[in-house]
Amino acid sequence: MGRRKGSKNKRPTIDPLHTIMTNEERLEFIASLIVDRIENDQEGGRKLLEKIRGCDEPELA
């Protein structure tokens, strides 16, 4: 499928912060996102944990 008539060739927007990060910085960034998500899940009733764990494991006390 071609582009629409009159549309211009646009370069994709690239966030320079993520393109210049080292592997360690990227890992730390992803780990912090995971930790934030887990903290939000704990505050919100642990729905993410239930989704990850599945229904067949016993509930933690």
Side-chain angles (χ1 to χ4, degrees):
M1 177 181 218
R3 63 181 180 193
R4 296 181 182 222
K5 185 177 179 180
S7 64
K8 306 287 183 191
N9 288 332
K10 295 182 180 177
R11 302 186 91 180
T13 305
I14 299 174
D15 187 1
L17 173 65
H18 295 109
T19 58
I20 60 172
M21 295 172 74
T22 66
N23 287 339
E24 290 80 15
E25 290 171 331
R26 289 179 186 174
L27 286 172
E28 188 175 329
F29 176 72
I30 292 171
S32 68
L33 290 177
I34 293 170
V35 168
D36 290 344
R37 184 75 184 261
I38 290 172
E39 288 174 348
N40 288 338
D41 183 57
Q42 288 177 343
E43 294 171 1
R46 298 180 182 252
K47 294 177 184 174
L48 177 63
L49 180 61
E50 291 172 7
K51 196 181 288 187
I52 291 171
R53 185 182 334 162
C55 299
D56 46 90
E57 288 191 25
E59 186 79 19
L60 294 175

